Amino acid sequence: MSVVNAIPLIAAGDDGYSLSRSLRFRQSATAYLSRTYATPTSTTIGTISFWYKRGLIGNSDLVTAFGTVSTTTGNGPYLQFTTNGALRFVDQSSDVITSAFFRDPAAWYHFVLAIDTTQATAANRLKFYVNGVQITSFSSATYGAQNYASNILASGTQYIGYSQPSNARGSDGYMAEVNFIDGQALTPSSFGAYSIYNQWLPKKYAGTYGTNGFYLPFTNNASTTTLGYDFSPQGNNWTTNNISVTAGSTYDSMTDVPTLTSATAANYAVLNPLYPSSTPVGGNLNVVGDSNSRTVAGTMSSTTGKYYAEGTFTSGFATNGWFYVWDTSTPYVPGNTPGTTAQTGAYYAGITGNIFKNIAGTATTIGTYSTWTNNDIIGMAFDADAGTISFYKNNTLQVTITDSAFIGRPFTFGIYYYAGSASMNFGQRPFTYTPPSGYVALNTFNL
């Protein structure tokens, strides 16, 4: 199970370059960007570079990163993740699938696809790079004929986050620092560099873009229109579709980024889809109940410091809904109700208002407080140094629990749900309420 604890990261690349925004694509909303390309600089040579943090993992849907309209299902063009997490590029007769899988829900990946179909050697016509390293092992690889015109470089309607509308293939995850270079086949060194800790980090692209080239940093979130603005000299703006900047669980302009930019812009915790029987959606911030008891917690934990998060049920609260703070050091038992597991932590049940603590499997009722239901905002806070856990309802403190057993525990935040749909906010979108003094969001900058 992928859970990030204290890891050695630095704030930016060697040139001090930091990112501040990413864009979330919610597959459930059919979120995507679109643009009509002009006659390109080249139909045979181009480079796509982007940072991506995955949402859906192991889902039966094909999660597309880039693509164009195709009238023939299956022949592309599209760049996608397969159901098992491999990276696949399909473009006319080219069909290449990596042997490596990319399915860590806590990680940001840098992907570069360099296309040069003029190359005499077939394997040089498509080159994949992940985090600065060229991928040379493929489970299958078929390359198009020399000098074939790539449809992903062609004029006409192009998509980011969606492909082949007839087959409803869409992204679920986060994208940042998107560059497309029309007419050049580049290496990752144009877009990233290694830090002194040998960590691959983004750097500002300093070259030219070509006719259809663009740079999307997603930093202008004044409206959904401005989110698609091109910051390259080309001015090739994109149209956002089913993207939201409305406050709440559908807000898609995120500060979840692959650099340690600040206390509010870094790699954030999300709900961990590797928890058994749980399938978060919406960039791993939302859950949808199906009348089965399910529990899911964050991908990050910390044994020191003060952290805050918010959760809300958005619909179908019914009779079972809990938010909790618990430690990640004890294996989770699927299907167990909070309070019946061996985890140490505390829990707030909506239907009864009961709050209780759990110490290594022994539950104690702290008291009965305000009940809560759909659209109430439940704040959760823990101080791992002082050994306290606090719960809030709509910014009103319900209780602060103090126990020496809480000190130094690798705590995270989570949800227990049954029939309802719920959303968690670790701080990658604006909190509804200001965190208590001294408390911060659960991200890699603050660990």
Side-chain angles (χ1 to χ4, degrees):
M1 188 174 296
S2 174
V3 176
V4 175
N5 211 310
I7 54 178
L9 299 176
I10 63 171
D14 293 338
D15 60 356
Y17 188 55
S18 296
L19 307 186
S20 60
R21 289 279 170 181
S22 64
L23 186 64
R24 179 175 63 160
F25 291 78
R26 288 175 289 124
Q27 190 181 86
S28 61
T30 316
Y32 65 96
L33 310 181
S34 59
R35 174 175 173 76
T36 300
Y37 280 13
T39 301
T41 298
S42 175
T43 60
T44 58
I45 302 173
T47 304
I48 297 167
S49 168
F50 63 102
W51 287 80
Y52 196 80
K53 182 174 180 177
R54 297 203 58 188
L56 289 170
I57 303 289
N59 192 272
S60 59
D61 293 320
L62 297 175
V63 184
T64 304
F66 285 85
T68 64
V69 171
S70 174
T71 57
T72 305
T73 299
N75 77 340
Y78 50 81
L79 177 62
Q80 69 175 48
F81 297 103
T82 65
T83 53
N84 62 4
L87 192 63
R88 182 185 187 190
F89 180 60
V90 177
D91 184 16
Q92 297 191 39
S93 57
S94 292
D95 191 343
V96 182
I97 304 175
T98 64
S99 298
F101 301 142
F102 308 99
R103 51 193 182 195
D104 184 348
W108 274 97
Y109 295 103
H110 181 221
F111 295 105
V112 174
L113 171 64
I115 302 170
D116 184 353
T117 70
T118 69
Q119 294 292 318
T121 301
N124 289 336
R125 295 170 197 159
L126 301 174
K127 293 182 179 180
F128 287 101
Y129 302 87
V130 180
N131 296 339
V133 178
Q134 184 176 353
I135 300 298
T136 57
S137 178
F138 300 94
S139 62
S140 66
T142 301
Y143 299 95
Q146 186 178 12
N147 296 314
Y148 84 85
S150 169
N151 281 342
I152 210 165
L153 307 177
S155 59
T157 304
Q158 297 277 354
Y159 291 92
I160 298 175
Y162 202 58
S163 180
Q164 297 192 6
S166 63
N167 208 30
R169 301 180 177 184
S171 291
D172 195 280
Y174 308 82
M175 198 172 289
E177 195 72 1
V178 182
N179 283 282
F180 170 59
I181 314 303
D182 182 1
Q184 300 177 67
L186 303 176
T187 65
S189 61
S190 294
F191 312 100
Y194 287 103
S195 72
I196 59 173
Y197 296 103
N198 204 36
Q199 182 192 13
W200 186 254
L201 293 170
K203 77 175 186 181
K204 179 72 172 178
Y205 174 66
T208 58
Y209 281 86
T211 300
N212 289 320
F214 58 85
Y215 167 46
L216 302 179
F218 306 120
T219 50
N220 188 338
N221 61 357
S223 69
T224 56
T225 298
T226 60
L227 276 173
Y229 279 3
D230 174 19
F231 279 63
S232 83
Q234 301 304 113
N236 290 325
N237 297 334
W238 286 69
T239 299
T240 61
N241 300 271
N242 305 316
I243 299 289
S244 172
V245 290
T246 300
S249 61
T250 63
Y251 189 88
D252 296 316
S253 176
M254 302 294 190
T255 58
D256 194 329
V257 294
T259 55
L260 300 186
T261 304
S262 69
T264 57
N267 186 4
Y268 274 82
V270 294
L271 296 173
N272 195 336
L274 303 182
Y275 268 72
S277 76
S278 184
T279 307
V281 296
N284 290 329
L285 291 180
N286 304 331
V287 293
V288 179
D290 59 2
S291 298
N292 290 300
S293 297
R294 301 184 188 278
T295 302
V296 62
T299 52
M300 297 182 188
S301 62
S302 184
T303 57
T304 62
K306 301 177 180 181
Y307 298 91
Y308 175 82
E310 292 177 345
T312 186
F313 272 75
T314 54
S315 66
F317 172 74
T319 60
N320 283 302
W322 315 55
F323 287 105
Y324 60 82
V325 177
W326 73 3
D327 79 277
T328 59
S329 62
T330 304
Y332 164 69
V333 179
N336 278 10
T337 303
T340 65
T341 66
Q343 270 85 5
T344 291
Y347 314 84
Y348 188 3
I351 195 66
T352 63
N354 286 340
I355 295 177
F356 57 91
K357 68 179 179 181
N358 197 58
I359 307 298
T362 300
T364 302
T365 301
I366 301 301
T368 300
Y369 300 87
S370 297
T371 60
W372 49 268
T373 187
N374 294 333
N375 301 315
D376 285 326
I377 305 299
I378 304 306
M380 296 155 276
F382 71 84
D383 183 341
D385 300 313
T388 65
I389 295 175
S390 301
F391 290 102
Y392 299 78
K393 175 190 172 183
N394 299 330
N395 208 34
T396 298
L397 177 65
Q398 301 299 298
V399 69
T400 295
I401 308 166
T402 303
D403 197 298
S404 60
F406 294 162
I407 296 174
R409 292 279 184 175
F411 278 138
T412 191
F413 304 101
I415 308 171
Y416 171 82
Y417 61 106
Y418 179 71
S421 296
S423 178
M424 183 70 80
N425 182 11
F426 294 93
Q428 52 269 87
R429 60 179 172 85
F431 284 127
T432 301
Y433 300 108
T434 302
S437 179
Y439 286 76
V440 295
L442 188 55
N443 65 42
T444 48
F445 186 94
N446 296 323
L447 288 177

